[in-house]
Amino acid sequence: MKIYIIGAGISGSLIARELSKYEVEVHLIEKNPDVGWGVTKANSAIIHGGYDDPPGTVRAQFSSIGNKMYDQLSKELDFDFKRIGSYVVAFNENEVLYLKELKERGRKNGVTNLEIVDVKELKTKEPNINENAIAALWCPDAGITEPWEVAIAAIENARKNGLILHLSEKVVDIVVEKGKVKRLVTNKGEYKADIVINAAGLFADEIARMAGAEGFKIYPRKGEYILLDKKLNGLVNSVIFPTPTKTSKGVLVLPTVDGGILIGPNAVDLPVEEKSNLSTTKEGLTEIYGRAKHLVPGIDLSYTIKTFSGLRPENNRKDFIIGATKIWGFINVAGIRSPGLTAAPAFAKYIVEKIFPENLKVNLVKKKEFNPYRKRIPNMSYFNLEKWDKLVKKDPKYGKLVCFCNNVTEGEIVEAIKRGARTVDGVKFRTRASFGRCQGGFCGLKIIEILARELGISVEEVKQNYRNSWIIDGKVRI
Amino acid sequence: MRKEKVDVLVIGGGAAGLAAAIESANHGVKTILLERERKTGGVLNQCIHNGFGLHVFKQELTGPEFMELLWEELSKTSAIVKSDSTVLKIAPESKEVTVLSREGVVIYQVKSLIVSTGARERSLNNLGIPGARVAGVFTAGVVQKMVNIYNRLPGHNVLIVGSGDIGLIMARRLKIEGMNVVGVVEIMPEPGGLIRNVVQCLEDFDIPLWLSHTVTEIHGTGRLEGVTVAKVDGELKPILGTEKFLKVDTLVTSVGLIPQNGLIENFVEMDPINRGPVIDDLMRTSVEWIFAAGNNVAVHDLVDFVYEEGKIAGKYAALYALGEKLPGVKYNFKRGNNVGVMLPHRVTGEIPFKMYIRSKKILKSCEVKFNGKRFRIFNWKIRPSEMLDLHLNKFDAFSETTNVEVNELE
């Protein structure tokens, strides 16, 4: 039996890892040159408490379970996960009523430890919050992580356990015969396939159409963000939400796992043709700044490191679309917008443990030798200096700092390349080099040089990310 | 982890750090200079244009030539240079400095410390200009290094954003090397760099300078494909209807330097306007064993000034390490009318010193006053981009708190 997963985002990577626990041939196909570069790359990076989706929805069903799985998952895959809790802040009595509704919703979703706190308690933990706040809903289970690192870690671990990864490969057709999946056609070849799992993010509707599975429509909803300097570390200690509106959870203020501050997102629906429109806009950035400053007046844009935007795959059914279809062997994991990151470990398990045996009547056999552990690339923030000193003595490259903003050494960059980084962004998302305040001013050229050396290519061939993102044109003089 | 004792430790081997190490070693104390790059010299390595050294060496040198003179001076001293060595942290209570290099982690126990960590370039990303996130956007310093050190060009058609000195110099450099330099946009009504650079780098090479213009949007997928440029009003806001699209594959930014003080800013008194430590005429910070010199104290106009500061810091850090009692601060300066960047912030009154001031505004001509008493007249146009330098000794108007002002003359 051959299983093909389409899309190496959070959903695809966690499903791949789940399947790598079983005796079966699993392929993961990704059209980008690296993993986690779609929806996964740019979102709020929150592990949600699981209280705010309407009870009975698929989203609610998986997010409260998924939340609880992150402690174990982050230990096995060695990625950053901090359960810092979240506040939904109310500024008037109407909003306090809404907090009560949220709390009740949480109870129905199985989130029983929510608490409405008064402004005094809020202020002791979050002294920088707007002083007009009157109450807040405290959710101790909420957390933060780095979504791309979760995808990278899951795929590294899955590959150790047998997963076959195809990068820069785009699915162009799915051949179905007599109501069953037969073959998968890509720009590089044709493969016999028994089961296809559609985790194609923004493009999941197009993939479903190829298989002739029932129709749904994905449309992109843009969210813009501003990342602020680590100098503002401590401005907030937990995830700060405003009281939500009908369409959105609103603009948040939260710490990132490595000590910066992130504000955003707004929510702008784009036409279906704009599934690659990742540009930021003046209106959007102005809006999120205004809203974030309302929550936390100490937000200061002179500490801006970068602005960026992400696209969320909204769909016309207003819920996750997860499960088997009328085409045998074709499984949808579509419309995975927020809280998709939170829910992913839960629905990955559900697909393998429920959909496979119950809907497809496929009973997979567990591997005896599955190794659940993956180790992160060594980084100084997680080592004491004694241990780092020993590492340098073994490999002096760990003694040469390349990225000064985030303390990333040449050893880490070489290791990232060994693990699959092929571009400057590939190095950046694996090591945080050039993620900091100077935005590659000091390390950019050095990273290009190291990539060229390790990959045996010229510096002109090194790309920022995608195929046409060349950086260096050629020699000044021969 | 190895521990080592040292009298004077210098962090950063640019012009200030090299000068400091030379001076410190010449006072007979054990001096170590740490440089995080492969070799010392800092940005001088890539500044192959001339214009350096007129004040200090009385000749017009290129950056590498200026550096050669420093290396020659340094080689005659006992100062030890450790390159590829980066400071991870400074422990202010124990006076321990933790350093990472290929030999491992070393902890230096110091008597005095000189911080000469220079400045970094502000990146376009830091400005929050909307649009696509693409390859092909570089700071001027990065392109300077790419062209002059790596022997590589960044693209074909280039727009320079910001008219800081490095931006002006790179406009000329890229034009000479065959790139199509579309122009330089500057958001302010006046150029940000020295006038001599506007003339020698733009006018002499027919490169247009668009004052009161800014980039409002970045276009492209993967690589930069173009930018939208617009005129701005008196409040620096883009004027609707003035937008035009420029087809460029490369954007080079020169939008300001930021002093780097991450190692000391949490325990040394900082000046938010200079963005550097509060400093006295001995280049001493608020922590008596920590000295600072160069562009981390405040961004300077000339490497010569940075060099002079390094020498002062080197001398007094060495004397401190020798156990000499250094004079205390007697006069404090307070910013008055029109005073932006200013250093030093306070002086001992024991030695002659140089004071640097940036006017906040463009003035036709001006006078500098201390406590209301005129010290000097500048009979020419004064810009924020060009520092006023004043040679001072004890001045009779100084008092414990001395008000400094720069007034426009009619």
Side-chain angles (χ1 to χ4, degrees), chain A residues 229 231 278-282 285 301 304-308 380 385-386 388-389 392-393 396 398-401 404 407 409-410 437-442 445-446 449 459-460 464-465 468-477, chain B residues 1 36-38 84 86 88-89 98 100-105 119-120 122-123 125-126 128-133 135-136 138-139 142 145-147 150-156 173 177 221-223 225 249 260 262 265 275:
Chain A
D229 200 285
K231 265 193 190 165
L278 283 169
S279 59
T280 52
T281 63
K282 188 165 170 270
L285 297 175
L301 285 194
T304 300
I305 287 193
K306 185 169 185 156
T307 65
F308 62 94
M380 244 180 284
L385 288 173
E386 295 276 355
W388 197 265
D389 184 52
V392 177
K393 298 216 159 101
Y398 285 97
K400 170 61 185 165
L401 268 187
F404 304 127
N407 278 358
T409 59
E410 187 179 356
R437 60 177 66 140
C438 91
Q439 287 288 291
F442 287 114
L445 292 173
K446 291 178 206 162
E449 216 180 0
V459 290
E460 286 83 355
Q464 182 71 38
N465 38 46
N468 60 341
S469 63
W470 55 279
I471 305 169
I472 291 175
D473 183 41
K475 284 201 166 116
V476 178
R477 292 192 182 82
Chain B
M1 280 192 301
R36 64 188 186 181
E37 299 289 349
R38 207 169 303 160
D84 282 328
T86 313
L88 299 177
K89 60 180 178 192
T98 307
L100 178 70
S101 74
R102 288 197 181 89
E103 70 171 285
V105 180
R120 69 177 164 90
R122 188 194 300 279
S123 114
N125 286 342
N126 300 158
I129 292 176
R133 297 290 163 258
F138 307 94
T139 59
V142 168
K145 190 171 179 186
M146 191 191 288
V147 176
Y150 285 71
N151 188 31
R152 293 295 193 286
L153 282 175
H156 306 273
R173 184 93 187 98
E177 296 304 346
T221 45
R223 177 74 187 200
E225 286 158 25
D249 61 15
Q260 304 187 101
E265 66 194 2
R275 300 186 74 150

Side-chain angles (χ1 to χ4, degrees), chain B residues 48-50 160 166-179 181 184 196-197 199-202 204-205 207:
Chain B
I48 63 170
H49 53 283
N50 62 359
I160 316 278
I166 319 171
L168 298 175
I169 284 157
M170 287 319 292
R172 172 177 65 184
R173 184 93 187 98
L174 294 175
K175 179 119 184 185
I176 290 172
E177 296 304 346
M179 280 184 76
V181 182
V184 178
R196 73 166 198 222
N197 281 331
V199 175
Q200 293 171 11
C201 299
L202 301 186
D204 290 358
F205 286 83
I207 297 168

Side-chain angles (χ1 to χ4, degrees), chain A residues 79-144:
Chain A
F79 61 79
D80 277 321
F81 167 58
K82 295 179 181 171
R83 225 180 250 293
I84 58 175
S86 69
Y87 284 106
V88 182
V89 181
F91 288 93
N92 57 48
E93 290 305 328
N94 270 342
E95 291 186 346
V96 176
L97 283 180
Y98 199 83
L99 296 188
K100 287 179 182 155
E101 199 181 314
L102 277 180
K103 187 174 180 223
E104 175 57 18
R105 213 188 274 180
R107 194 187 58 77
K108 287 186 186 147
N109 287 347
V111 187
T112 52
N113 55 357
L114 300 173
E115 203 184 325
I116 293 176
V117 300
D118 61 11
V119 64
K120 202 169 149 231
E121 190 176 335
L122 172 65
K123 278 275 188 183
T124 37
K125 272 198 72 184
E126 297 294 349
N128 299 314
I129 218 100
N130 185 336
E131 40 189 70
N132 297 324
I134 58 173
L137 179 72
W138 167 241
C139 171
D141 287 349
I144 50 173

Side-chain angles (χ1 to χ4, degrees), chain B residues 11-30:
Chain B
I11 307 175
L18 286 166
I22 291 163
E23 195 64 22
S24 167
N26 280 340
H27 279 78
V29 298
K30 181 181 173 187

Side-chain angles (χ1 to χ4, degrees), chain A residues 453-464:
Chain A
R453 185 190 74 206
E454 295 296 313
L455 298 174
I457 58 177
S458 70
V459 290
E460 286 83 355
E461 290 171 278
V462 175
K463 304 285 190 290
Q464 182 71 38

